[in-house]
Amino acid sequence: MNILILGSGGREHALAWAVTQNPKCEKLFVAPGNAGMALIAECVDLDIMDGAAIATFAFQNRIDFVIIGPEGPLAAGVADQLRAAGLLAFGPSAAAAQLEASKAFTHEICDAAGAPAAGYARFDDAKAAKDYIRAQGAPIVVKADGLAAGKGVVVAMDVPTALAAVDDMFGAGFAQTEVVIEEFMDGEEASYFILCDGENVLPIGTAQDHKRVGEGDTGPNTGGMGAYSPAPVLSDAISTRAMDEIIRPCMAEMARRGTPFQGVLYAGLMIKDGQPRLVEYNVRFGDPECQVLMMRLGAQVLDLLLQTAQGQLDKAQANWADDHAITVVMAAQGYPRSYKKGSVIKGFEALPEDSKNMVFHAGTTAVDRRIMATGGRVLNITARGDNLNEARERAYDMVAKIDWPEGFSRPDIGWRALK
Ligand code: AMP
Ligand code: GLY
């Protein structure tokens, strides 16, 4: 098969690596890709938001399957455009991608499905939202309704912070037309990844990430500074409850509405006293959670994504090694605030290259055979082991070999699970 992956981050590099492990993959294209993906695939300069241009490229290059990595093109309807053009594509329709794009929509689905989630109220007016916050008290959570690249959620520990968040979201910079105010849920957070073909569901793994930039989970939020799989808190019993009480009923509700979900559902769960509740849905793989899932699943990923796109998950089975994987993000100094682009990264030749040690590139560009950092999150140093500690040691051994003074990583990825 000729395959095209859309995206340019560590998530897409990990997907590309897994896909090329599968003998069904004859030729792999990535758009736009990065320096790491360029080593295993042909990078093409396509605008991933332009469904018509992607379809044209796909026909010209006899692409059999398109895998859409990030949420932007999904929410914009690129999967719909590709399928309408007769292409096989992995990823939900714009209507089903509302599960990530709109917090209010997800609450409606959970209500209809009876799925446990935070209590909430919706407001299209700042004054009413603020009156409600004053009446409820803190802690309380304020969410912008649309896709906001992780910036649309304020977990307020006091009332003034929550009130300021409302003003900010309705203010000129943000210009929200609706906010959702949620009950603060206490507990331990974990992510559950489930393939869905519109009708059938197949869980493919659990993970936890570290969102804060600093050691001990402190400092500003980021896209994720590291992750590990499995997530110990998502035991078999709790995973089963999450499937029975949250995932299956929500997927059935989406189908009942005539907007079946096809793709990977990334459920953020809050777990307390054995009860999982939904924090949020994303309609794509997590980044960097995907990197650890791909390490553990390997070549079968292509078969599973194909079965998802073809509506054949009832025949599918996911087999994963009874092992652990971890990924440590190396970021440019300054991230998530402002950082410099263009520093040179060295030391790749000193790294082991086998099925237990992988470097996935996130924000890199190759210039004259040198690897340059061109993003905030730049490399994802990923390793497997029989236990988390072994995986962690492997990953940090690799981090130590990377020669990049302008970069940094958190030294404590996995600490909660290792505690
Ligand atoms: P989201 O963008 O919806 O993932 O929210 C970002 C983060 O905010 C989540 O990963 C949680 O840590 C936190 N969060 C969101 N909603 C709630 C809630 N209702 N209660 C507690 N924490 C929340
Ligand atoms: N790592 C969090 C995310 O992908 O949204």
Side-chain angles (χ1 to χ4, degrees):
M1 301 181 81
N2 295 331
I3 297 167
L4 169 64
I5 296 179
L6 303 183
S8 62
R11 166 181 50 211
E12 288 79 20
H13 187 187
L15 286 165
W17 168 77
V19 162
T20 54
Q21 299 305 298
N22 190 308
K24 281 201 185 89
C25 176
E26 171 109 17
K27 177 143 178 83
L28 179 65
F29 296 90
V30 294
N34 60 36
M37 284 189 262
L39 301 173
I40 55 171
E42 185 175 328
C43 294
V44 285
D45 190 17
L46 278 174
D47 175 1
I48 63 169
M49 299 296 282
D50 185 346
I54 297 161
T56 303
F57 175 87
F59 284 113
Q60 282 167 351
N61 292 277
R62 300 171 191 273
I63 300 290
D64 301 293
F65 189 36
V66 185
I67 300 167
I68 304 170
E71 64 277 18
L74 295 167
V78 167
D80 305 78
Q81 279 176 284
L82 298 181
R83 284 195 275 270
L87 291 156
L88 187 64
F90 176 85
S93 65
Q98 286 293 102
L99 283 176
E100 175 164 354
S102 166
K103 312 276 183 199
F105 177 81
T106 297
H107 274 296
E108 279 173 24
I109 296 294
C110 286
D111 287 349
Y120 73 102
R122 301 163 62 167
F123 298 94
D124 57 11
D125 152 77
K127 181 174 180 309
K130 292 203 270 189
D131 288 344
Y132 178 81
I133 288 169
R134 288 193 195 94
Q136 293 288 314
I140 195 157
V141 180
V142 182
K143 297 188 173 183
D145 191 46
L147 278 186
K151 296 180 194 76
V153 176
V154 174
V155 179
M157 297 321 270
D158 52 69
V159 169
T161 306
L163 299 178
V166 170
D167 282 331
D168 186 37
M169 286 176 194
F170 282 115
F174 228 110
Q176 275 295 305
T177 53
E178 183 168 326
V179 298
V180 176
I181 315 277
E182 280 183 7
E183 164 201 359
F184 172 80
M185 295 189 287
D186 187 23
E188 190 168 355
E189 241 181 308
S191 304
Y192 201 12
F193 294 86
I194 301 106
L195 295 175
C196 182
D197 66 6
E199 194 181 336
N200 307 288
V201 290
L202 182 74
I204 54 165
T206 65
Q208 272 173 305
D209 79 338
H210 294 265
K211 288 203 169 68
R212 304 299 190 102
V213 76
E215 193 170 348
D217 295 319
T218 55
N221 259 320
T222 71
M225 293 301 292
Y228 49 94
S229 171
V233 60
L234 267 176
S235 62
D236 287 349
I238 296 176
S239 308
T240 302
R241 275 188 84 159
M243 288 304 293
D244 292 348
E245 296 174 17
I246 303 174
I247 310 301
R248 275 198 198 85
C250 286
M251 292 298 95
E253 174 62 17
M254 292 296 288
R256 195 192 64 76
R257 289 177 176 223
T259 52
F261 181 91
Q262 184 263 82
V264 60
L265 192 65
Y266 158 1
L269 303 172
M270 190 69 82
I271 296 132
K272 193 174 183 206
D273 302 331
Q275 171 70 56
R277 291 207 280 168
L278 185 75
V279 177
E280 57 159 356
Y281 281 130
N282 294 299
V283 299
R284 45 154 179 103
F285 282 106
D287 188 346
E289 291 89 333
C290 185
Q291 290 78 317
V292 285
L293 294 176
M294 293 306 118
M295 274 300 267
R296 297 187 63 214
L297 289 165
Q300 68 183 314
V301 165
L302 176 57
D303 300 307
L304 294 174
L305 301 190
L306 279 168
Q307 283 167 309
T308 303
Q310 290 165 330
Q312 292 174 354
L313 276 183
D314 53 328
K315 302 187 191 84
Q317 208 188 325
N319 302 302
W320 59 91
D322 184 19
D323 64 357
H324 296 251
I326 195 166
T327 187
V328 178
V329 170
M330 296 189 78
Q333 275 176 27
Y335 175 82
R337 300 204 171 93
S338 69
Y339 54 84
K340 285 208 188 90
K341 292 184 181 179
S343 55
V344 175
I345 312 169
K346 292 185 242 167
F348 291 100
E349 15 6 281
L351 299 178
E353 261 187 75
D354 55 47
S355 66
K356 289 197 158 62
N357 300 275
M358 292 292 307
V359 174
F360 296 122
H361 290 226
T364 62
T365 310
V367 180
D368 300 333
R369 299 171 129 216
R370 294 194 303 182
I371 306 285
M372 288 205 332
T374 47
R377 292 187 296 170
V378 173
L379 297 174
N380 309 141
I381 313 297
T382 313
R384 292 162 66 186
D386 291 339
N387 53 56
L388 187 58
N389 212 19
E390 192 181 299
R392 183 189 171 281
E393 274 173 28
R394 283 207 174 99
Y396 278 105
D397 280 349
M398 287 194 283
V399 170
K401 291 191 173 108
I402 299 278
D403 176 7
W404 183 36
E406 295 84 356
F408 76 99
S409 60
R410 270 183 60 169
D412 62 341
I413 300 304
W415 69 272
R416 253 177 239 280
L418 288 165
K419 200 171 54 181

